[in-house]
Amino acid sequence: MATEFTMPKLGLTMEEATILEWLIADGQPVAAGAVVMRIETDKVETEVEISAEGVLHHVAREGDVYPCGAVIAYVLSPGEDVPAPSVPSPIAAAPVVSIAPRAPVTTAPVHGRLAASPNARRVAFDRGIDLAGVVGTGPGGRIVSLDVTEHRIAVDVPSILNRSGVAATSDAVELADLLGVDLAGVVPDHPSGPVTRSAVAFHVRTRLSTQQVAAPTAALADVPLLQTPSRMVRLAGMRGTIAKRMHASLRDMAQLTLTMDADMNAVVGDRETRKVTGRAPSFTDYFVAAAARALAQHPIANAQVVGDEIALLPDIHVGLAVALDNGLIVPVVRHADRLRLDSLAAETSRLANAARGGALAPTDLEGATFSVSTLGMFGVDAFTPVVNPPNVAILGVGRIRDDVVAIDGAIGIRKRVTLSLTWDHRVLDGAPAAAFCRSIVEALENPSSIG
């Protein structure tokens, strides 16, 4: 009996993934536990194993996006036929320009068989309708039961003319009047039929989708190119996720940034001492540890907004921004406030190496309640980090530099760093945000307090 192989759900927030590569060719034998493909989620690339044994039959294509749970392959016994239907519908890419009104979609046969849901076939049989004449509106032009019903309406039900002189069913006119829709802009489901209620509903959903998802990008898409580009880079995968999340962050939050300097002489001295006895933590480890201790003192910064309420989160999980060649990834140090500095350093080293080697597990990327982003290695003193939703704050760290400062009335040179704290003003006002940042500074200036 054929065994279904579905797109796995590798994390709580994972909804879909792109098949990057099939590692076992179609029609080849496969053993249980073998790695059969590489996929890309919105956070990470990873390999996927199979639990069955037999002959692998692909029904999903490389490069397409499929939802979790979609059947993407079968494992067959020798000589066994592939169950029908055998081709899943990939998820279409999000629109980046204004969506035109719906045009009829021709339903292409799949392996000689019209793509239609079982219920659509039952309804068509009961009503004596030939599916070859029905326009499919499901994924990939698949015929669903509503298409069969609307086809019958378009053919058999008399239409009426609304005020704009558009032929439409009474249900369509009623819905359009209720929602304030001009039927002249609605495309009928059937080229020769009236506008139906489902066509009005589709028109409204399309307009809402365009306004909420595609409008910001559409405005940019309308800008003419200044030059002929050397190449085009698609906003997809990790790059696309970063673009959407950062745009949404700035759109949905009232973000402000303050900067504060911290004296790093004590941290530099602590690292030198630890080098003598063993492996010293990185400077970033001190910043993560200091932020975690400060979050415990200021729980309002370890929160998220849910509707019209602020949810204070009991566990402190600090995300660490790691730069990759194709973008940015934020692995998470869980319960960072409970870790001694040497244990925290071991965990950040593991996460950073796994991130750069493409070996992070999806669980390594989930649940951050606060983030730390460092650009000091590039000579940056201060910058404006963008909050990583659904967090309410993020810490930016600049370079450690030599500053000339006044110490007890004398001039001296101290190691200093500028911290940039961006926070959501809906949750924190300026004074508590400054107090939170000051607690980070105090922890850095007294490293024994962070273990």
Side-chain angles (χ1 to χ4, degrees), residues 12-200:
L12 293 176
T13 61
M14 178 179 168
E15 297 180 353
E16 62 191 43
T18 303
I19 298 178
L20 296 179
E21 181 184 8
W22 282 105
L23 301 177
I24 302 294
D26 185 42
Q28 293 299 308
V30 62
V35 175
V36 296
M37 66 176 180
R38 289 193 308 113
I39 63 172
E40 180 185 46
T41 71
D42 62 346
K43 296 179 179 179
V44 68
E45 292 183 12
T46 189
E47 296 178 338
V48 177
E49 298 179 353
I50 199 164
S51 58
E53 181 175 346
V55 177
L56 183 67
H57 177 79
H58 303 169
V59 295
R61 300 175 301 182
E62 293 179 353
D64 281 345
V65 183
Y66 297 91
C68 296
V71 177
I72 53 177
Y74 288 97
V75 180
L76 310 173
S77 300
E80 184 178 14
D81 292 331
V82 180
S86 61
V87 179
S89 298
I91 298 174
V96 296
V97 295
S98 298
I99 301 176
R102 175 173 55 167
V105 178
T106 301
T107 304
V110 178
H111 297 313
R113 188 169 183 257
L114 276 175
S117 70
N119 194 48
R121 294 181 182 278
R122 181 187 61 77
V123 173
F125 178 81
D126 291 343
R127 302 191 181 194
I129 296 174
D130 183 0
L131 286 177
V134 178
V135 177
T137 61
R142 191 181 191 214
I143 299 171
V144 295
S145 56
L146 184 60
D147 297 327
V148 180
T149 304
E150 295 291 357
H151 175 79
R152 184 61 178 266
I153 291 174
V155 174
D156 294 344
V157 176
S159 61
I160 61 174
L161 295 178
N162 77 323
R163 289 185 294 274
S164 302
V166 176
T169 65
S170 57
D171 284 347
V173 174
E174 180 182 0
L175 181 61
D177 287 344
L178 177 65
L179 299 177
V181 173
D182 182 1
L183 286 173
V186 180
V187 176
D189 293 303
H190 194 276
S192 60
V195 172
T196 62
R197 183 184 179 90
S198 70
V200 175

